[in-house]
Amino acid sequence: MKQVDIHSEVFNPAYYPYLDSANRVQVFYGGASSGKSVFLSQRAVYDLLNGGRNYLICRQIGRTIRGSVAQEITKVITDWGLHGLFQINKTDGTIICSNGYQVIFAGLDDVEKIKSITPAKGAFTDIWVEEATETDERAIKQLIKRQRGGDAKVPKRLTLSFNPILQLHWIYKRYFSQIAWTEEQKEYSDDNLLILKTTYKDNKFLTAGDVSDLEGETDKYFRDVYTLGNWGVLGNVIFTNWRVEDLAAMSDQFTNHRAGLDFGFSNDPSAMPVSHYDRSRKTIYVYKEIYETGMTNDVMAETVKAMIGNKEVIGDSADARSINELQNKGINIRGAKKGPDSVLHGIQWLQQQTIIVDKSCINMRNELQQYKWKEDASGEIVHRNGDPVPVDRDNHLIDGLRYSYEEDMTDGWWFA
Ligand SMILES: Nc1ncnc2c1ncn2[C@@H]1O[C@H](COP(=O)(O)OP(=O)(O)OP(=O)(O)O)[C@@H](O)[C@H]1O
Ligand SMILES: [Mg+2]
């Protein structure tokens, strides 16, 4: 293979020293836009070029890989002018270097694929789990088993990357508690474990606009997690009345269906939770979700049909045109009525239910976990006209859930 020169300037200096780190477990975490995903993508391409390493790159949900980490790696290959050396196969989810070493992408939700895949040559020396806070500990343990065999001289690595959304997370307990990590630390390293904490300040490629967005964050929790990269401690969460279960075995009892659609496109995802309502027990079972950016109304119509057929969907009435288009494509959809103060009253109504979320609905779990009242810099809840204000962020599925239960809320008072 011909010699490829990669200039150190293409890397953020905060990460460059870790290009060849051999620690068994490597944790790259911290604030938003700190350069984690790009660096780890660069490292994967660099390792493939050098040969001897194969990567298994995972996220919890397989279909989210293509728009994120697969795209980052493809971009590195393009930016470095290496198209001729790599074969990118989108349908298989593989990238193969001309020396035979490869990256394989897989969702942890595809258990069969995870069990059966092996690289063409050698073993998976590297497993990288992107957005690792989406995963549970057991899935990661299973993954490590996929690293058996291969050349004993090449150190095996498990790399985890994520934002530190919640200090109660198993990742914190497992890797941070035991070394008595403090937030002032930036790095920890022993044979088994590397931890590198980064923030936007470590990313020299950010635009001034990106920086001022992050520096302008006033909510204490979001500032802690996404600006400063500190482990999140949620005080003022809105929903604590929910839990995760495996609902697969119950699915034939789910007859009292509700679906609500919040439209997104480029920045925000289109989001639709599907649930069953057990009215007598005031219990909502969320068992399916759509959560995807870049969905056209055509794709949305197909996805909704495949998921719930002709059952009713309540959509965000702010997007009358999309509702109309979906109707024309045969979807049984109508706009939410939205009464005055509908957000707050919807929240209060949902707080009085028990919400059970299927384990596959990762995005619903994330939203419920993080949805919170807006706080000022000292952590006090912000009020407007005497009412607490929810943070208008990461609430797409929750908005959809509110729309879908609008009629059930009429026991309340605003349609009276
Ligand atoms: N080495 C680099 N070269 C060029 N641009 C970069 C580089 N590293 C980061 N960037 C730019 O900074 C942006 C943010 O980086 P990246 O997506 O890697 O952050 P992140 O830490 O993964 O953020 P998040 O926590 O939000 O996932 C990228 O979209 C890219 O535009
Ligand atoms: Mg990232």
Side-chain angles (χ1 to χ4, degrees):
M1 215 166 91
K2 71 173 188 199
Q3 173 86 25
V4 175
D5 289 317
I6 302 163
H7 201 280
S8 64
E9 281 291 300
V10 302
F11 297 96
N12 268 311
Y15 297 92
Y16 188 62
Y18 303 95
L19 198 54
D20 295 303
S21 297
N23 322 60
R24 180 71 184 88
V25 176
Q26 306 199 1
V27 173
F28 290 84
Y29 88 108
S33 300
S34 71
K36 302 178 288 297
S37 300
V38 171
F39 171 69
L40 292 171
S41 300
Q42 291 176 323
R43 186 167 82 166
V45 174
Y46 164 88
D47 283 335
L48 287 197
L49 285 170
N50 280 329
R53 290 189 168 276
N54 292 297
Y55 273 68
L56 173 58
I57 302 184
C58 303
R59 279 189 66 167
Q60 179 61 33
I61 306 287
R63 67 182 151 71
T64 59
I65 290 172
R66 190 183 289 215
S68 57
V69 57
Q71 202 172 320
E72 289 295 354
I73 292 183
T74 309
K75 188 165 180 300
V76 172
I77 292 170
T78 312
D79 288 353
W80 290 358
L82 300 174
H83 257 313
L85 290 176
F86 288 90
Q87 223 179 309
I88 299 172
N89 188 331
K90 285 190 181 160
T91 29
D92 292 6
T94 59
I95 295 177
I96 304 175
C97 185
S98 59
N99 60 15
Y101 290 96
Q102 61 184 321
V103 168
I104 300 183
F105 299 98
L108 295 176
D109 53 348
D110 190 348
V111 180
E112 292 311 310
K113 178 169 180 184
I114 294 278
K115 270 191 205 150
S116 62
I117 36 179
T118 43
K121 182 171 169 181
F124 286 121
T125 55
D126 282 82
I127 292 180
W128 167 21
V129 183
E130 170 76 321
E131 310 300 354
T133 46
E134 296 171 345
T135 63
D136 61 35
E137 189 167 8
R138 224 180 25 200
I140 304 287
K141 282 187 180 149
Q142 288 299 322
L143 268 183
I144 294 174
K145 292 188 188 155
R146 305 291 310 137
Q147 285 188 296
R148 288 190 193 121
D151 183 349
K153 290 196 291 294
V154 183
K156 304 253 168 56
R157 302 187 292 206
L158 167 70
T159 300
L160 308 177
S161 54
F162 56 87
N163 303 117
I165 52 169
L166 213 54
Q167 195 166 27
L168 298 171
H169 202 278
W170 70 264
I171 292 181
Y172 184 86
K173 285 198 199 97
R174 167 132 196 184
Y175 299 113
F176 290 71
S177 296
Q178 59 164 346
I179 56 155
W181 176 264
T182 61
E183 291 294 12
E184 292 70 43
Q185 265 170 284
K186 292 218 71 176
E187 196 233 29
Y188 171 88
S189 180
D190 65 27
D191 287 349
N192 288 317
L193 181 64
L194 165 72
I195 296 179
L196 183 70
K197 172 180 175 178
T198 51
T199 69
Y200 70 99
K201 290 187 177 164
D202 297 298
N203 184 357
K204 66 176 183 181
F205 299 95
L206 282 185
T207 64
D210 297 331
V211 170
S212 69
D213 280 353
L214 283 159
E215 289 185 340
E217 178 62 68
T218 53
D219 180 89
K220 184 173 184 309
Y221 169 80
F222 286 103
R223 189 176 170 79
D224 278 349
V225 174
Y226 295 103
T227 310
L228 305 175
N230 293 333
W231 279 95
V233 179
L234 282 169
N236 296 307
V237 287
I238 295 178
F239 295 115
T240 50
N241 54 321
W242 65 280
R243 62 178 188 268
V244 175
E245 281 182 18
D246 185 345
L247 298 178
M250 281 183 76
S251 61
D252 54 346
Q253 298 168 43
F254 293 160
T255 48
N256 190 21
H257 134 111
R258 301 284 182 277
L261 176 55
D262 190 45
F263 294 98
F265 195 67
S266 46
N267 289 324
D268 290 335
S270 301
M272 185 179 91
V274 182
S275 60
H276 162 77
Y277 190 36
D278 184 340
R279 190 190 304 270
S280 58
R281 294 193 176 82
K282 290 173 100 177
T283 302
I284 294 172
Y285 295 87
V286 180
Y287 60 97
K288 277 182 195 162
E289 65 180 21
I290 296 176
Y291 188 90
E292 222 166 301
T293 49
M295 259 189 156
T296 60
N297 284 334
D298 271 330
V299 175
M300 175 58 80
E302 289 310 310
T303 315
V304 172
K305 259 184 227 163
M307 201 175 259
I308 59 169
N310 196 36
K311 297 199 181 94
E312 188 181 52
V313 181
I314 316 290
D316 182 357
S317 46
D319 198 342
R321 216 189 61 172
S322 290
I323 290 187
N324 201 266
E325 273 184 47
L326 289 175
Q327 282 168 344
N328 291 338
K329 294 179 197 306
I331 300 300
N332 180 7
I333 185 169
R334 65 174 176 80
K337 296 193 187 79
K338 296 192 186 177
D341 295 329
S342 65
V343 175
L344 203 55
H345 290 115
I347 287 173
Q348 286 166 352
W349 187 87
L350 286 170
Q351 282 176 326
Q352 291 158 33
Q353 315 297 313
T354 299
I355 304 172
I356 303 179
V357 183
D358 184 63
K359 66 181 181 47
S360 69
C361 298
I362 296 288
N363 297 292
M364 189 82 227
R365 291 162 60 170
N366 284 343
E367 287 195 5
L368 288 169
Q369 201 164 59
Q370 288 198 68
Y371 194 42
K372 58 181 285 296
W373 302 112
K374 201 173 167 67
E375 291 164 17
D376 62 21
S378 61
E380 296 296 321
I381 297 182
V382 173
H383 284 73
R384 197 179 296 140
N385 304 326
D387 289 326
V389 181
V391 175
D392 187 16
R393 171 172 179 157
D394 296 332
N395 50 3
H396 314 291
L397 288 160
I398 290 172
D399 283 352
L401 196 66
R402 277 193 302 104
Y403 304 146
S404 72
Y405 281 87
E406 200 181 65
E407 301 268 291
D408 301 286
M409 297 173 193
T410 50
D411 291 349
W413 47 275
W414 80 77
F415 293 117

